[in-house]
Amino acid sequence: MKKLDMVKKIMSDFSYIADFVVVYVEEAHPTDGWSLPGNYDISQHGNLHDRLAAAHVLADKDIPCPLVADAMDNRAATFYASVPDRYCIIQDGVVVLLGGLGPFGYRPEEVRDWLTKLTM
């Protein structure tokens, strides 16, 4: 979530030409699993209620777009290989940009660059 402010700015800057949605997937660093110091106190999701409660932690960060949660079978995370995080741009039903896998390959500036080219 280190790049959250950058992502929120991109969403705000390009909301006039793009629809954004955040899909909350399984927790990458749950407190009862592979946790990291300073992370939120979120346990592994045992059911959809747990996942939705965890998604609300992210929703409280004023995300300027719809926030949805992946199903417990992790079908969105599996389809887009998006754990711990990843972005993609879908245009006319086709994935035109699939960003690198976070945390090291997660570069939201690629979204900004792509959308900037779209407006030229």
Side-chain angles (χ1 to χ4, degrees), residues 76-88:
T78 300
F79 187 81
Y80 293 102
S82 61
V83 176
D85 48 28
R86 176 175 254 167
Y87 57 81
C88 87

Side-chain angles (χ1 to χ4, degrees), residues 24 27 29-33 40-46 50-51 54:
Y24 184 88
E27 186 61 33
H29 301 290
T31 53
D32 56 346
Y40 293 96
D41 185 13
I42 298 174
S43 300
Q44 291 183 7
H45 312 140
D50 294 346
R51 182 162 291 172

Side-chain angles (χ1 to χ4, degrees), residues 5-18 20 62-65 112:
D5 289 336
M6 179 191 303
V7 170
K8 288 167 51 174
K9 175 113 174 74
I10 292 169
M11 289 175 175
S12 296
D13 290 350
F14 292 95
S15 63
Y16 70 99
I17 61 162
F20 295 90
D62 297 322
I63 307 297
C65 71
R112 174 178 290 287

Side-chain angles (χ1 to χ4, degrees), residues 40-106:
Y40 293 96
D41 185 13
I42 298 174
S43 300
Q44 291 183 7
H45 312 140
N47 54 51
L48 187 57
H49 181 268
D50 294 346
R51 182 162 291 172
L52 293 173
H56 279 282
V57 173
L58 181 57
D60 289 342
K61 301 297 177 194
D62 297 322
I63 307 297
C65 71
L67 170 66
V68 298
D70 197 2
M72 289 306 293
D73 64 3
N74 301 314
R75 75 182 72 146
T78 300
F79 187 81
Y80 293 102
S82 61
V83 176
D85 48 28
R86 176 175 254 167
Y87 57 81
C88 87
I89 296 177
I90 302 170
Q91 185 177 39
D92 299 324
V94 177
V95 175
V96 294
L97 176 65
L98 185 60
L101 191 57
F104 305 111
Y106 187 74

